[in-house]
Amino acid sequence: MTEVPEHLLKRSKDRRSAMSGEAPSGDSPAAAAPAAEPGSGVEATAPAAAAKVAAATPAVAAEPAFVPPYVEAALKRKKIPVWAMPVLAFLPVWVFIYIGGLSPASDGKPTQLAQGQAIFAAQCAGCHGSAGGGGVGRPMNEGNLIKTFPDIIGQLEFVWLGSNGVGPAGTPYGDPDREGGQHKTLSYNGNPMPAFNKSLKQSELLAVVRYEREVLSGYKIDPTQIDAKGQLTYGNSSPYLDAEGQLVTPEGKPLFDSAGKLTIEPNWTMPVGSK
Ligand code: HEC
């Protein structure tokens, strides 16, 4: 025979007497009301008795044993409907695309960023991933590119010449003070980045590099650097592209020499997000 411990017996006895105290003679509140017959002189006291029962009821309902912990947890948890997950996940991208002006400019031509998006999808996404997450090529998302090239002109040169055009394997490129160390050619899976000086025009180079920086890497461009047609400028409204679509310095001189190297020094100390 299993003995029931004394304290459990006492608890169940207490509970039983508590229950019967709340509902006299074991009747439910619903059964108690009809017992008050009209004209029997009990009407006046019946509501009072019902109120007493009602007042006692919440105490029973509040017993933790009536709400299992998992139900309680489910009730307290903040609920996001399943359909909202993809919506929420892509919201920052949509906001950025909206602000970044991927829609056609007022003259109906695609903006520089929209042009860059199309070039990226066709010529870069295969190695760098459609969202710039990396693959054969280095990742570009989450600010990675901006760390390598705080100044856009360094990135323009790298993409124009490719790893082998920049120098032999192990040639450092980009910001020497890059977080985690300066990047060196052929140091990522040993794969070279192809040169694009044969397959892209300089105007297309600027477009795709802007797309990588501003959309994929999340660089917040100063809006005063974008002119009315959605083109990037150095600020004081001096353009990156001349009338022939060639890249130029702020002084209007060619940005690349005949070998495709920069004719001015990149400013690696430029505060990110201000240029
Ligand atoms: C065939 C694959 C391939 C294609 C296509 C490709 N890349 Fe790359 N990319 C690479 C590899 C590999 C590296 C790393 C190079 C190295 O370590 O020398 C790289 C590096 C880069 C970097 C330097 C990133 C850093 O932080 O060091 C930039 C910028 C870049 N690619 C831009 C582009 C652009 C723009 C395009 C399209 C116009 C493109 N890439 C197309 C393979 C590719």
Side-chain angles (χ1 to χ4, degrees):
M1 275 283 281
T2 316
E3 276 208 29
V4 180
E6 196 61 34
H7 70 278
L8 286 184
L9 284 173
K10 185 179 183 302
R11 202 161 82 180
S12 88
K13 191 165 163 259
D14 289 351
R15 179 64 49 82
R16 264 201 309 275
S17 54
M19 295 287 277
S20 56
E22 281 151 17
S25 70
D27 276 344
S28 70
E37 304 250 324
S40 67
V42 200
E43 302 107 299
T45 57
K52 204 174 149 195
V53 171
T57 310
V60 176
E63 280 283 336
F66 287 95
V67 185
Y70 54 88
V71 173
E72 197 180 42
L75 291 173
K76 280 184 183 162
R77 197 184 303 135
K78 285 207 182 75
K79 290 171 198 67
I80 299 172
V82 173
W83 61 262
M85 299 295 182
V87 177
L88 293 174
F90 284 103
L91 204 56
V93 178
W94 289 335
V95 167
F96 201 88
I97 286 172
Y98 176 70
I99 295 169
L102 286 178
S103 50
S106 47
D107 61 4
K109 290 195 192 128
T111 58
Q112 216 163 31
L113 272 187
Q115 192 193 3
Q117 182 183 39
I119 297 168
F120 183 84
Q123 312 226 30
C124 322
C127 288
H128 289 281
S130 52
V136 174
R138 280 190 180 273
M140 317 189 142
N141 54 354
E142 294 167 1
N144 274 302
L145 278 184
I146 314 307
K147 287 181 193 157
T148 311
F149 302 109
D151 188 343
I152 188 174
I153 68 170
Q155 190 183 340
L156 289 167
E157 180 191 51
F158 185 83
V159 176
W160 195 238
L161 295 177
S163 305
N164 293 325
V166 166
T171 303
Y173 64 88
D175 185 358
D177 297 323
R178 190 193 196 282
E179 191 188 305
Q182 187 175 19
H183 280 177
K184 297 188 170 77
T185 57
L186 272 56
S187 66
Y188 183 75
N189 300 337
N191 292 312
M193 159 78 186
F196 281 90
N197 53 5
K198 302 283 188 296
S199 49
L200 291 181
K201 294 182 202 154
Q202 292 192 9
S203 57
E204 294 169 330
L205 173 70
L206 178 60
V208 72
V209 163
R210 272 195 66 195
Y211 177 77
E212 288 176 346
R213 296 170 71 82
E214 295 168 43
V215 178
L216 299 183
S217 209
Y219 181 64
K220 284 184 191 58
I221 194 103
D222 176 349
T224 63
Q225 274 194 266
I226 308 296
D227 72 11
K229 288 184 174 166
Q231 313 256 338
L232 184 69
T233 70
Y234 283 98
N236 49 10
S237 80
S238 75
Y240 272 84
L241 295 171
D242 67 10
E244 282 79 50
Q246 300 296 299
L247 285 162
V248 290
T249 65
E251 289 72 41
K253 304 262 165 51
L255 185 66
F256 294 150
D257 65 16
S258 55
K261 298 268 186 189
L262 288 173
T263 55
I264 53 171
E265 285 294 313
N267 175 10
W268 299 135
T269 61
M270 146 187 324
V272 168
S274 75
K275 193 193 171 200

